[in-house]
Each structure stands twice: as structure tokens, then as C-alpha cells.
Amino acid sequence: MTENTQQSPDRGPMDSAPELPTQYAPAEVEGPLYERWVERGYFEADAKSDKEPYTIVIPPPNVTGSLHLGHAFEHTLIDALTRRKRMQGFEVLWQPGMDHAGIATQNVVERELAKEGKSRHDLGREAFVERVWQWKAESGGQISGQMRRLGDGVAWSRERFTMDEGLSKAVQTIFKKLYDDELIYRAERIINWCPRCLTAISDIEVEYQDDDGELVSIRYGEGDASIVVATTRAETMLGDTAVAVHPEDERYKHLVGTEIELPLTGRRIPVVADEHVDPEFGTGAVKVTPAHDPNDFEIGRRHDLPSLTVLDEHGVITVHGPFLGLDRFEARSTIVGALRAEGRIVAEKRPYTHSVGHCSRCKTTLEPRQSMQWWVKVGPLAEAASKAVREGDVAIHPKEMESRYFGWVDNLHDWCISRQLWWGHRIPVWYGPNGEMVCVGPDDEAPTGEGWHQETDVLDTWFSSGLWPFSTLGWPEKTESVAKFYPNSVLVTGYDILFFWVVRMMMFGLYAMDGTPPFHTIALHGMVRDQFGKKMSKSFGNAVNPLDWMDKYGSDAVRFTLARGANPGVDVPIGEDWVQGSRNFANKLWNATRFAMMNGATVEGELPAADRLSATDRWILSRLNSVVAEVDAYYDDYQFAKLSDTLFHFAWDEVFDWYVELSKATFAKGGPEAEVSRRVLGEVLDVTLRLLHPVVPFVTETLWTTLTGRESVVIADWPATVLVPGADAPGGFRDAAAEQEIATVQQVVTEVRRFRSDQGLQPGQKVPARLDLTGTALAAHEDAMRSLLRLQPAGEGFSATASLPVAGATVALDLSGTIDVEAERKRLAKALAAAEKDKAQSTAKLGNEAFLAKAAEAAVEKIRKRLETAEADIERITAQLAALPGGNGTTA
RNA sequence: GGGCGCAUAGCUCAGCGGUAGAGCGCCGCUCUUACAAAGCGGAUGUCGGCGGUUCAAAUCCGUCUGUGCCCACCA
């Protein structure tokens, strides 16, 4: 043995592999790789190709702001799917692009303007929209920069934006078609109105929060003809046009049909009977304000009540009198004060917590408001969207999410699509001087002339993103891309926008594309959370910029961590420690490849024939084939966590810890056996790197190209089952006997290591020992085991025996040296107790007739094996105890 | 009010009828010529409580408790 112990970590044998430094430095490696991939056009998709298409559209990020960890997560999943399919030989299109995000973007730009002390009205519509386009140019560049850092393999030449000319044409086309089919209409309804954004918003854009309000009870009318109503919004009483009670309510029957006095107004309003009223709630009487409450609006309709608007678009009182011009909240207290002065407040106001709608964009308390808006009649569209999933044309993954989908799509209300904004697709309807209304299609001339003007409202942003799966491909033109890449293969998105986005795409896709759904599978992922499972948010201070972690640990580390956490449909916690762990894994890959290359691992030439392979080689190739099959199955089931974990453990534990260690002795010895192992190691590494590439593209590209000398792993073939010449089996090469044999080697080695550790022997210390493997299958592994265990030939003195039953023979391992007898006795006693317990349990189990009758054969076999092992263990341990100095074979 | 989900090792989660798993963390010992971002060894759980089905339950059923999310309503 050499005494070369003064090896500096910086120099030494690794000099023989100068291509790879001793540590993986992602920052130096990742940058140039991505640009090379793009330049070579690997990510572009050819509509003329005769390969089978595989299409995924990016859930378009809002042009505002930058990508967060949630995007990094989603992109990792899509990138992994598409990279694998590309390697499998599909014509892959990962469609990139961004969303104009109407109200969100308009608000951001308005805030920018506010810093300059200006409002959008100072600029005017045209200049304002111009300004938003400028903003988009800056912000959009930032997002694509982040996508490049992440390694997203998107077809950049096809990048689209929902406000592009082409996509705007798609919007106009479908609007016109819906209009002509009478699925779009204009009507006056109660809508959710944001008094700050000054626009209608749809039901799903409302965020409900519990707010503390006050419930006040007000007496309407006088004497016998009086009724007490309760309200949290006293200011709306100015617009009351009735009081409603339940038809069966005895307390108020005599008043139904009469009129009572509405305080402060001098008006008289009718008392009506309506089923909607809950006689149990409050006083059982409800004030009715049709113009400012959705339920009241319905009551008003049923009883033909007038609608009196008392608040304007800013939420300011519009009725003449003492309250004119008051803000809605001021008006509330002022009016309560006035009512109290008149003795109308019958009970003290009391605190009342109720949920109130807020604008999801600016958090302002919403005001229900009656106004003229544009609507999509969703009935037939939603029915088709529901049917497509119900009949299996579209699969939702994980399946549990289907109930959410149905819950929504089967109860959809008509969709309010008009927004009183400036940023967005302007509704293509022109109004004429005599009340004419013309919907203008993309190929029509807009009416001109005196008195004609276009609708000023724009469309809800989800209107255009609902067309994304085909508008990005050039629809309504009959392009080759539409023919090739529609329908999309899979939609990968978060469960949080199942309703906002997925349902819209389903409805529009089915409608526009003659009943062909936009995708066959919807794979839903969860939300990224922090390491304690808490939601990430800027205000809570636990939000992470993915770029920070990518700078520190590399993109691969961030991607691998996210993929390892990706169980279908459930939220993904992520912490910096975990990213570090993934970085360590990348480094491990790096160093294992270095080792392989230092030892001449190669991918050239056929694999050696089966009869030339050692059991170790056969074991790892057999395991490799299992892993290939497992990973494929997991990919097909969108089980990213499982496939990542499988690869992590296979690579680290089996290949790097065991195969490499067991092969070191072979490599050291050289000769034809080493030659065989070099080829096997090359094969195993090659396949493992290819399997890992979709998830950790950068480090695998660097290592794979170095190892193989080939162009790029991006365009390499996805691993198929490895075939060993001379041992072709239908399902690929498998060797259960070799797997069993190596498992035994592992057991022996681990046992001896534990013994050494328990004895306080230094790992590096050579121990004089005799390893007697004569007549067993393990004889072939003697060199490897000796080297692993640092065993020297036996010397004099005490000897302890470790033995395991292998293939009908017994391995005797004598360790000589100074032994801590007490420690060993204790350890063996513990092991003996465990084995005896195992034996007892297994015996009981096998004596159980019911178990034998009903259990699966494999289960019974497992128990039998366990019993056998336990019995052998007992025999062995008893012998070891007996061999201890002063021992008599029995335990205390 | 309705619906869905979750409670497993210190933390975050897999497992979902046959004798408890991972990552990180923790405790030892080691710079053993790929890697200390490493190696080796070790400890840690009445699988939320209670009942039931079964030869057998973390796993199925019921129930309670805690917790999260979605939807609806809230005068």
C-alpha cells in the first residue's frame, strides 16, 4: 500500500481529467449552454414535420412584473415534459407568450403615472395605451430573460402576445361568431363595480373578506303601519323602493300591499311579499334597493319595482338633498345620524361581521351597481365543456380535481365580459345615430359617418387568453400550425386558475374548433409554499425571487428541488436548505462523472456480452432497466416527485455509492475485467444522465457531452431498455440472481462496517482479518470487499466472526484485533432479541390458517423468507456470542 | 350553510390492507487518491382520539377533534 497521504485536494490524480474541475460551478456552465441550444434551433417546432406533434402552451404570464417561484415551478414541469418528448422523437412545440392582463397591467401603469402626479385622464386614451405598450416592452424582456435562465425550451420564434395583431383578429373573429349566434348580448344588470378602477369586474375577480360592519335597525313607516328593517348599508336606503316580507309571515300579512313611509325622503314605498325573505333572519323584513343589491334587483324584477340609483360610479351619493356628494362611507354614518335624530333607530347598532366583496386587483370594497354591460351566454358553451370531461375526451389529472371543475362549469352564470378600461381589446361593436348596433368582424368595414362610434369598453382579459391554445397557432387563418399542433397535448397549470382560465379555454376551444377540445389532458399542479407550508407572499416577507437561488445554487438545483416536491395537484413547499441539497446532488453527478472519466469509462462500442459481465455489472444493468421503466411510467402519470426521487436514489445510492465503490478494485487491477466495467459504467452513466436531463438540463448537458463527445443531450434519444448481447429477454435485460447476490454483498459489507464503527475502529485503519468466502457466490467479490473494508490478512489474537447465509453456504469473516468485548456483547444481544422477535412474529403469522388461506402468495412468501432470515440470524448471532472471550453462547 | 382535502420521525412530505419510508435536521467517527457540497455508522414514530369491518388496518368504514382550501349566502 502506498503511503501517499499528503495529497493536496487541489492537485493529484484528478490532473488526469483536466476537462472537469473538482467542484461543479453552475454559474460558469449554465449561461452559454442555453444560448447555444437556441442558436442551434433545438426548441423550434416545424409544422411541416412528419413527426408526431406534442404541444404545450405556456400559461401566459402577465406582462406586469417578473416571474416568481410559482412560474419557475410550472416551467420546470412543462420543460421536463417537453424535453422528454423531444428526446422521444416527437415534434415538440412549447408555445411561449404573454398575457396583456387588462386591469392588472392598467393599474400598474396608472401607479407609475401617479408617481409623476398624473392620471390616465391627463394623457387621454390613446397616449395612455401607448404608455402601456412601452411598459410591456420593458417588462416582457425581463420575463423572457428569466425564462432563459431557467432553461425553458420554448420556440422563441413563435412568441405571442394576447394583444398581437393576429391574436386581436382571433378575438374579433370569435366575438363576431358568438354575437351572430346570439351567445353575446348586451344587458343592464347588477354587476360588481370597483369604484377605484371604475370598471365592472366578473364574479371570479371578487375576493370575499370578512369585514366588521354594523347592523342597524331602522323603523320604516309610522304606528301600526311600521316595519323594522336591519341593514349594514344604511346609505342605500335612499334608493329603497319597497320593503319585502315572507308571504307566510303572520306578523306582516296585514301590511302586504300597503305603502309605508320611507324616512328622510318623504317617499312612500310598497310592502311586498317575496319567497326570498327568510322570516327567521333579523326582523323578517328586508329593505329593497334594486339598483344596489343583486338580490334586491331580483325582487324588484319580480314585483315590477322601480330601480333608483343613488350612488355614482365613484360611490358618491347622487340624490339631491342633504346627502348629495357624500362618499358612500361618509353617507352611511351621516344617514344613521339623521335617522337617529328622527327617532328611527330602534335598537342600538351592533357589530356585525360579514363577508364583503373586494376588488382582487386593488382591494377596494366593491359596490354592486346596476349598469349596462356585455355578456356571454354560457349555457351551451358550459354544457359542452362539462360533457367533454364527463365523457372522457379530456382527462383531469389528478382525478380528484374533476369535482371542482364540474362544481364550477355546471353552475356557471353568464359571463360579464365588458370592462370600462382602456387597456385591452376594444369591443368591436359600433353604435349608430339612430340606435343601430353593428358587430364588426375582422374582414368587415367599420361603419363611418355622422353619429357612428365604437363601443368604448374593452373585453375581460380572460376572453383573449381563452383562445390561447389556437390563437397562438395563427387561427382564424387555416395555418399549418393549427393543423399540426391543435389540439394541444397537455395543459399544465395551477389548480387556482382552473375556473378563470381552463374553463374559458374549454368553452372557446370546443366552440371555435368544431367540438375539438383544446387539449386531451389537464395536469394540475399545486402552489409553491415556503418550507413550513405557508403561502408565499410579498407582504408576509417569505416570497423568494427564483433568480436569487439560481444565482447561488444554479438553475438545475432550483428545478430539481421543485420537481422533487411536485406531487400531482398538491402544494409544493420549498426551502433554501432543500435547494442546497439539490445543488449537492448536481455536484455529486459532476464528481461521479469525473471519476468515471478518470477511469476511462466509455460509451463506444457494443456492450460486452452477458458472459463477460461480472455479477456487479449485471446487477447495475438490471437495476438500470428497472429504473428506465419506472421513470417512464412516472412521466406518463405526471409523477414528477416520484421520478425525481427514483433517479436521485438510483444515481446516488446505487450507482455512485455501490457500483462505483465495488468497481474500484476492478479498475485498479486493470485487464479485461476493467475493460468490461469501463464500458458498463459508461453505459450506466450515459443512460442515467439522459434520464435526468429533462429535469436538470444544464449539468447533464455538460457531463453528457464530455462523456460521450456527442453534440447535445437535448437531441439525444430518450433511453430505451438496455439490451445486453447474448442475454436478450423480451422485457430487456434483467438479472434477479445478480441483484440478490449484490444485496448480500451489501449486507455483509454493512454488517462489517457497523461492527467496525461500534468497535471504534478508524475507517481508514487497516484491520488484520481473514475473509473466508470459499465455496460461496461471494468469492468473486473478495477483492472488492477487501478494498471496501480495508481488511488485511488475519493476524494473531482474538477473532470475532460475522457470517451470513449465502446461496446455501456460509460466509465466515474473522476480524482480528483489539475488541471491546462488552460493546460487542451488547450489540449482539440486541440483534439477537430483534431476530427472535422476528421469528416469533413470523411463526405466528405462518401458523395462522386464515392468513394462509386468504393472503396473496407473495405476501406469504415474504413472511417465510423473513422467518428463514430470522432463524439464520439467531444461529449466527448465537455463534458470535459464543466466540466472544468468556462467552458461553447464551445471552444475559 | 354546502363541498373537497389533510392530520405519519424535530421540519416538509411519500406510502393507502400484509411486520413503518425519504429529504433536510440530529448524534458519533473519518480529509480512505471522484466528491467534506463527501464517506461510514447510529438514534428518532402507541402513523390525531375513539369505535367498527378483517385472520391482518397508517392503509377500508363510522365518529370526534384540529387544520387547510373551494363555492354559496349574509337584510
Side-chain angles (χ1 to χ4, degrees), chain A residues 614-627 630 650 654 662 732-747 778 781 865:
Chain A
S614 70
T616 312
D617 294 330
R618 279 180 276 124
W619 158 70
I620 199 67
L621 289 172
S622 180
R623 285 289 306 132
L624 180 65
N625 273 338
S626 299
V627 168
E630 281 169 43
F650 174 69
E654 302 193 73
L662 285 171
F733 177 78
R734 294 290 168 95
D735 191 334
E739 290 194 27
Q740 181 57 51
E741 189 173 320
I742 297 302
T744 310
V745 169
Q746 290 174 341
Q747 275 181 53
L778 294 199
H781 301 284
K865 212 159 177 183

Side-chain angles (χ1 to χ4, degrees), chain A residues 37-59:
Chain A
W37 291 333
V38 172
E39 278 162 26
R40 290 177 181 169
Y42 292 161
F43 303 141
E44 291 303 326
D46 180 6
K48 291 190 169 68
S49 158
D50 51 12
K51 293 178 183 174
E52 199 182 326
Y54 186 82
T55 317
I56 300 184
V57 291
I58 192 172

Side-chain angles (χ1 to χ4, degrees), chain A residues 84 625-637 639 642-644 646-647 691-692 718:
Chain A
R84 168 170 175 258
N625 273 338
S626 299
V627 168
V628 169
E630 281 169 43
V631 168
D632 270 325
Y634 285 143
Y635 259 113
D636 291 337
D637 200 28
Q639 300 272 9
K642 298 238 167 66
L643 71 92
S644 305
T646 298
L647 285 167
L691 288 172
L692 277 164
W718 180 249

